[in-house]
């Protein structure tokens, strides 16, 4: 399948910026699903309160973002 159109400057890839892989998108989607499940577990099963569940899920999300950042930094420094 092909689409006929003129190539413009915005269609060209930007040097130095890599495309996002499918594995990355799947990983972030999985992480989001786990965080939502963690929120629902704390709120509905443990009955710890809505605000406490939001805070716990947000904290887990920020910790996950920190871990991804550290791993990315280590991987980039090895190149």
């Amino acid at each position: 399948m092909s689409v006929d159109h003129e190539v413009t400057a915005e269609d060209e890839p930007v040097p130095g910026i890599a495309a996002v892989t499918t594995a990355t998108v799947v990983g972030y989607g999985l992480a989001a699903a786990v965080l939502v499940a963690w929120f629902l577990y704390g709120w509905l099963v443990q009955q710890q309160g809505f605000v406490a569940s939001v805070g716990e899920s947000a904290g887990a999300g920020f910790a996950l973002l920190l871990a991804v950042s550290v791993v990315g930094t280590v991987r980039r420094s090895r190149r």
Side-chain angles (χ1 to χ4, degrees):
M1 179 176 173
S2 65
V3 177
D4 295 328
H5 70 279
E6 293 183 28
V7 176
T8 61
E10 61 189 39
D11 291 336
E12 297 177 10
V14 178
I17 297 178
V20 178
T21 63
T22 304
T24 302
V25 173
V26 169
Y28 283 145
L30 183 64
V34 167
L35 288 174
V36 168
W38 185 253
F39 162 75
L40 291 174
Y41 175 75
W43 186 37
L44 300 175
V45 176
Q46 293 182 336
Q47 297 182 354
Q48 63 184 1
F50 180 79
V51 175
S53 295
V54 168
E56 189 172 331
S57 297
F62 285 127
L64 185 61
L65 286 174
L66 179 63
V68 167
S69 176
V70 168
V71 167
T73 301
V74 169
R75 288 183 65 196
R76 183 168 289 143
S77 69
R78 289 186 180 178
R79 291 184 193 171

